[in-house]
Amino acid sequence: MGRGDLSDAEWERLRPFLPVSNGRCGRWRDHRQVIDGVLHRVRTGVQWRDLPERFGPWKTVYERHRLWSADGTWELLLQQVQAAADAAGEIDWDVSVDSTIVRAHQHAAGARTGPPPAPTSKGAEGAEHQDNAVAEPAGPPGGGGAGGEGLGRSRGGFTTKLHLSADGRCRPLSLIVTPGQRADCTQFKPVLEKIRVPKIGPGRPRKKPDSVAADKAYSNRPCREYLRRRGIRHTIPEKTDSQASRLRKGSYGGRPPGFDEEQYKKRNTVERAINRLKHHRAVATRYDKRRYVYLGTATVAALTIWLRT
C-alpha cells in the first residue's frame, strides 16, 4: 500500500456500494487500484498523464473519475459513509456554513461551450460502463462558457467558489460549486437542502440539522426566514448597517435577531473543514475544466476526510 492509498478497513467500507459489471459491457478494472489512483491525483494535483504506473492506465483512472463524478457515484459513497457515522452517533448536527475562493489554473479554461451530448451509458446503479468509455454524460450541468462551468472573473483571473456545510467535527456534509463572484447568501438554501444522510435500514434520510451557524455574509431576511420556516435554530450576527437601519425605525424596526456568542464560537468548524479540503492540492487549485468533474474532485476529498477522521 502506497502513501495515501486506501487501507483494508477503508476499502471494506466502500466495497459494498461500488458498481459491479453485468458481463455484457466488459469488466471493470480493479476498483481499488483505480480509486487509489484518483486519491493520488486529488492529493497531489498531478496531471492525469503523470500518474504512477502502479495505478494502471491513466486514461482508465481519469474516465472512471469523470463518469463517477457525472452519475453521482462519488456522492453516493460519501452519503453511505455519512450514514454509517450517523448510525453510530458520530455526527455533530450543529452545522456551520461558509464558502471559499479557489484559484482556477489556466488548464481549467477552454471547455467546450455547448452542453454535453446525450449519454451512451447508464449510471452507477446500472453499472453498464465500459472500462474506457469516452462519451460525455448529459446529466451534469455545464456548457455555455466559463459561467456555466463555475468559473468567474476577478482581479486575480479565473476563480471558482466552493460553498459547503460542515458538521461539528469539521467534516463536509454538502458541497456546491459556483463562479468565484457569486454571493455567499445566494447558495445558503441550496447548500442546506443538499444535506442528505440516509438511514441504515428503513426510514427517511436526515436533512435537517439541529442548528446552523454562519457569518455576516448570510445575514439577510431570506436566509433567516428560510431557517425559521424549517424550524432550525440559527446563530448569524447582524450586519452593522442593518442594525443601524433597524434602530432608526424605532419600534417599527422590530426586535433584534437572537445571537448566541458561545454557539457562534463553534463556527470555526467550517473554516477547519475548508482547511482539510485544501490539503488536497487538486481542490486548493482547480485544474478540471468541467464543473461537475471539479465537484467530484472535492467530493473525493470530503470522502477521504470522513474515512480518516
Side-chain angles (χ1 to χ4, degrees):
M1 187 180 75
R3 179 171 179 262
D5 290 354
L6 291 173
S7 66
D8 291 339
E10 293 165 356
W11 166 246
E12 288 302 322
R13 294 175 67 180
L14 298 181
R15 185 177 56 81
F17 310 108
L18 295 172
V20 295
S21 174
N22 60 5
R24 292 185 298 171
C25 299
R27 294 186 301 109
W28 288 96
R29 191 173 185 90
D30 180 48
H31 280 320
R32 185 169 184 176
Q33 181 187 30
V34 173
I35 291 175
D36 285 341
V38 174
L39 294 181
H40 179 84
R41 187 264 175 175
V42 171
R43 180 173 59 85
T44 63
V46 67
Q47 292 189 11
W48 290 104
R49 292 176 182 270
D50 295 331
L51 279 176
E53 293 182 358
R54 65 187 181 90
F55 299 121
W58 70 267
K59 190 173 183 181
T60 299
V61 181
Y62 164 70
E63 290 295 340
R64 190 79 55 86
H65 174 60
R66 184 183 63 82
L67 289 171
W68 284 5
S69 298
D71 63 21
T73 300
W74 289 126
E75 290 190 8
L76 172 66
L77 295 175
L78 177 61
Q79 289 175 359
Q80 294 300 327
V81 172
Q82 291 172 345
D86 188 40
E90 297 176 354
I91 296 182
D92 183 348
W93 284 98
D94 290 330
V95 172
S96 301
V97 178
D98 207 349
S99 69
T100 182
I101 291 289
V102 175
R103 182 72 169 88
H105 194 270
Q106 59 186 0
H107 292 170
R112 296 175 182 174
T113 56
T120 57
S121 58
K122 294 184 180 180
E125 300 283 338
E128 290 189 11
H129 304 304
Q130 290 188 4
D131 199 29
N132 288 319
V134 296
E136 287 278 353
E149 298 299 346
L151 291 171
R153 286 287 189 180
S154 67
R155 291 183 179 181
F158 275 127
T159 53
T160 288
K161 184 172 283 189
L162 189 63
H163 306 261
L164 71 151
S165 62
D167 77 333
R169 298 184 65 184
C170 312
R171 298 174 296 187
L173 286 169
S174 61
L175 299 160
I176 288 180
V177 173
T178 66
Q181 76 274 11
R182 189 65 57 86
D184 292 358
C185 60
T186 62
Q187 303 303 311
F188 183 71
K189 180 179 177 181
V191 165
L192 290 180
E193 292 191 341
K194 198 174 180 182
I195 297 176
R196 186 181 186 277
V197 179
K199 297 289 185 182
I200 295 181
R204 297 179 179 178
R206 176 157 184 177
K207 301 179 180 180
K208 181 180 175 180
D210 292 334
S211 66
V212 171
D215 59 19
K216 290 184 179 181
Y218 303 92
S219 180
N220 57 35
R221 181 173 296 177
C223 292
R224 296 183 189 275
E225 288 181 349
Y226 169 74
L227 293 170
R228 292 192 188 102
R229 187 166 60 251
R230 292 190 62 187
I232 301 174
R233 294 183 293 108
H234 59 276
T235 303
I236 304 175
E238 188 179 18
K239 292 181 179 179
T240 304
D241 56 348
S242 299
Q243 183 179 18
S245 175
R246 177 176 53 79
L247 293 176
R248 282 196 305 269
K249 296 178 182 178
S251 59
Y252 295 99
R255 294 178 296 177
F259 181 73
D260 188 342
E261 292 187 2
E262 292 300 319
Q263 184 70 17
Y264 188 69
K265 291 179 181 179
K266 296 183 64 176
R267 198 192 67 83
N268 69 84
T269 54
V270 69
E271 304 287 356
R272 290 150 64 190
I274 291 172
N275 288 340
R276 287 184 174 184
L277 283 172
K278 287 193 170 182
H279 286 171
H280 302 78
R281 296 192 174 191
V283 177
T285 302
R286 174 176 170 174
Y287 302 101
D288 301 306
K289 294 181 184 295
R290 292 292 189 184
R291 175 169 58 178
Y292 72 89
V293 178
Y294 178 70
L295 179 59
T297 298
T299 304
V300 171
L303 177 63
T304 305
I305 292 173
W306 279 88
L307 287 172
R308 297 173 179 174
T309 300

